[in-house]
Amino acid sequence: KDAERAIKIAKNNLENAKSVFTAYSREIFNRKSSDVNLLRIIDSCTLRSGTTVPTAIEKNNGDVPYLKVADMNMSENDPFIITSTRFFNITDTKDNWIIPNGSVIFPKRGGAIFTNKKRLTVVPVCLDLNIMAVIPKKEILPEYLYFYFLGTDLASISNGSSIPQINNYSLDPLLISVPKSLDSQRKIVNDLKLLFENTKALESIYAEKLAVFENLKKSVLNKAFRGEL
């Protein structure tokens, strides 16, 4: 019973740690006051989907990273997209293939939506058809937009069909509270960075404790089963 109680407490602490960032960011991005604008994402950003490109021009190295959803999992690409497993030479690309740096990207089709991965590009990239990009206009800092999407559940805006998808119209209802001052946005970004890092550190501590308690419970049960207690 003591092990079960410890596991329950650790699970609650883990869930509470995860909810801290979400609750704070929800408050920030839904704030209403005279110093902020409440903007629709579809009006204040450009929405772009990836494209299919000829496999013949794909290379192991090149000027432009070509990203598929799996490439978002690369350790070098968390949270900022800087590389890929495939590339193009810039001379082989078309202008409308290129997604500029400062774009928030995430999976837009299939089970990958439920991973809730979001990344921020810091170099120009090309995306495949299973990734969407949201490109902020000048009134929104890219990192501010990134933190907004970090607190957005992608599953909640997918169409919920047998193969979930996120399309441009999926973002129609999304509103973002944006400080009119870019300096104010930068301050919020810095605060969110610090909170995010601290929250992740707490999550790591509680996850480790939970693993210890669950292993302890298994060990006790195994000993009881063998009649060693």
Side-chain angles (χ1 to χ4, degrees), residues 15 23 56 73 76 85 87 109 112 119 135 146 166 181 193-194 204 211 216 221:
E15 289 306 311
N73 295 325
E76 303 97 314
T85 55
F87 296 84
R109 190 172 189 276
R119 301 288 188 262
I135 307 164
Y146 168 72
I166 297 174
S181 163
K193 279 181 181 177
L194 182 60
S204 178
L216 177 61
L221 289 174

Side-chain angles (χ1 to χ4, degrees), residues 15 22 64 67 92 153 156 180 186 189 199 210 221 228:
E15 289 306 311
T22 301
V64 182
L67 283 133
D92 294 329
D153 180 16
S156 70
K180 298 174 182 177
R186 289 188 187 94
V189 165
T199 300
L210 180 58
L221 289 174
E228 298 176 3

Side-chain angles (χ1 to χ4, degrees), residues 204-223:
S204 178
I205 291 170
Y206 293 133
E208 287 178 8
K209 286 186 176 181
L210 180 58
V212 169
F213 292 140
E214 287 181 334
N215 287 334
L216 177 61
K217 180 182 177 181
K218 289 178 183 177
S219 175
V220 171
L221 289 174
N222 286 336
K223 287 182 178 180

Side-chain angles (χ1 to χ4, degrees), residues 19 32 55 59 69 99 118 179-180 198 211:
S19 67
K32 296 179 181 178
T55 56
K59 301 180 183 300
V69 171
I99 303 296
K118 298 99 178 183
K180 298 174 182 177
N198 289 338

Side-chain angles (χ1 to χ4, degrees), residues 1-88:
K1 290 185 177 180
D2 288 343
E4 289 179 355
R5 183 172 178 271
I7 288 172
K8 184 177 180 180
I9 292 172
K11 283 182 176 178
N12 287 337
N13 286 339
L14 180 58
E15 289 306 311
N16 289 337
K18 289 180 178 179
S19 67
V20 168
F21 177 81
T22 301
Y24 181 71
S25 63
R26 186 178 294 120
E27 179 181 335
I28 289 294
F29 294 116
N30 288 285
R31 188 166 65 92
K32 296 179 181 178
S33 69
S34 59
D35 62 336
V36 303
N37 291 318
L38 189 61
L39 305 175
R40 299 173 73 205
I41 288 292
I42 60 171
D43 295 331
S44 54
C45 302
T46 301
L47 309 181
R48 293 269 303 277
S49 290
T51 186
T52 300
V53 299
T55 56
I57 67 171
E58 293 184 25
K59 301 180 183 300
N60 293 328
N61 294 284
D63 306 314
V64 182
Y66 175 45
L67 283 133
K68 297 189 177 183
V69 171
D71 296 311
M72 296 173 66
N73 295 325
M74 297 174 66
S75 58
E76 303 97 314
N77 284 340
D78 185 10
F80 304 120
I81 296 291
I82 60 173
T83 189
S84 180
T85 55
R86 304 163 193 80
F87 296 84
F88 302 136

